[in-house]
Amino acid sequence: MADTPPATLRLRLDRSALAANWKALDAMSDTASAGAAVKADAYGLGVEHAVPALLEAGAREFFVAHWSEVASVARSVAPGSISVLHGPGSAADAAYARDMGVIPVINSLVQAKTWLESGGGPCHLMADSGINRLGLSLHEVGDPIVASLDIDMLMSHLASADEDSDLNSLQLERFRGVGAQVAHRRRSLANSAGIALGSRFHFDVTRPGLSLYGGVPRGELAGAIRQIAYPQAAVLQRRTIAPGESVGYNATFTAVRETELAVVSLGYADGFLRPRGPGGWFEWQGARLPILGKVSMDMIVVDAGAAPALREGDWLDVPFSLPEISASSGISQYELLTTLGRRFERTAI
Ligand SMILES: *Cc1c(COP(=O)(O)O)cnc(C)c1O
């Protein structure tokens, strides 16, 4: 069978910037060491590139959410350094954890029982200190079943670390209280934003995700974090339209003069959602090409007037500074990353 022709979308990942981001977050974690949240395929960027780069930089704790995410990460790192945040919801999950040698995060008394019934062994424990998502409630941590767990890392998760909220110190205080009640070897509280809250929040291990990949959830991180993902899309066609002609679904753009267009191979199916259309642009050799009309599933039309030499097959740069695009589109930095589609060819640079 013939090879698949080259992709018309590519996502270039700057591995050295990713390593630099991990090192910066590790240094900001003071005496704690930074792990790495690599769930959701390293926030959409691709574990096959991200995990080896993070390992090389020095990361030794890798967090995924689903059991289905274990195998791809275990290709690059020792299973004992992989933790599964959703925990063992069934005996099958617990059996898989034992088989693979990965560490489950226990999130409830039921999960504690499931893990112990499968034979027990080292695990992490998530205590809920106020986000009311996963984790044991504060009144449950004294349960005898918790005392029979072999807890490596005692964890909790901050709800509002990206804001100056009273909830941050309240959660910190509650987490300290849990630490006094539950036997453990290490403690871990901070995500990316939590690292910027200062050393009281760092404990033994921090768990950055977003900022590894170029996200800036708090101003303090702005100077330290570099962009790592650079999307590019190919031009499929050039055309010229006359004054009065419109572009795209619902004809939301109408040309007032003869206008040079380029049709670009990128759309909302690739994660370029409609709120990024109005006011947005792509770049080619320093020229800005404004987006015209609505974003379609597989195509976006730009004004190519500033790039007379642009040809079909040429690659346009898609601006992807996460804090900037998030501010202008209203889409969160997390969503900008994790909705990047499967049609991008992911390459390391
Ligand atoms: C996703 C996640 C993280 C990483 O959070 P960021 O805000 O992306 O840094 C850390 N801890 C837990 C429990 C998570 O679910």
Side-chain angles (χ1 to χ4, degrees), residues 25 36-39 43 63-65 85-86 105 126 133 155-158 161 188-195 206-213 217 334:
L25 292 160
V38 296
K39 57 193 180 184
Y43 287 45
F63 299 91
V64 296
L85 293 164
H86 283 186
V105 176
M126 176 67 78
R133 218 175 52 170
M155 301 167 56
S156 194
H157 192 58
L158 297 166
S188 174
L189 177 62
N191 60 348
S192 300
I195 292 172
T206 58
R207 305 187 306 268
L210 180 70
S211 293
L212 294 172
Y213 310 114
Y334 296 91

Side-chain angles (χ1 to χ4, degrees), residues 117-193:
E117 280 172 357
S118 82
C123 63
H124 303 322
L125 186 79
M126 176 67 78
D128 190 286
S129 56
I131 193 169
N132 286 309
R133 218 175 52 170
L134 281 181
L136 269 76
S137 302
L138 299 179
H139 65 87
E140 293 175 321
V141 297
D143 194 285
I145 200 169
V146 174
S148 39
L149 291 170
D150 175 8
I151 300 168
D152 175 5
M153 211 174 348
L154 182 61
M155 301 167 56
S156 194
H157 192 58
L158 297 166
S160 302
D162 57 348
E163 297 178 287
D164 292 325
S165 161
D166 292 341
L167 192 50
N168 293 326
S169 36
L170 179 61
Q171 287 195 266
L172 176 63
E173 205 176 294
R174 288 173 175 167
F175 185 54
R176 287 189 186 286
V178 174
Q181 283 182 73
V182 175
H184 61 272
R185 292 191 274 285
R186 300 182 292 167
R187 284 180 291 179
S188 174
L189 177 62
N191 60 348
S192 300

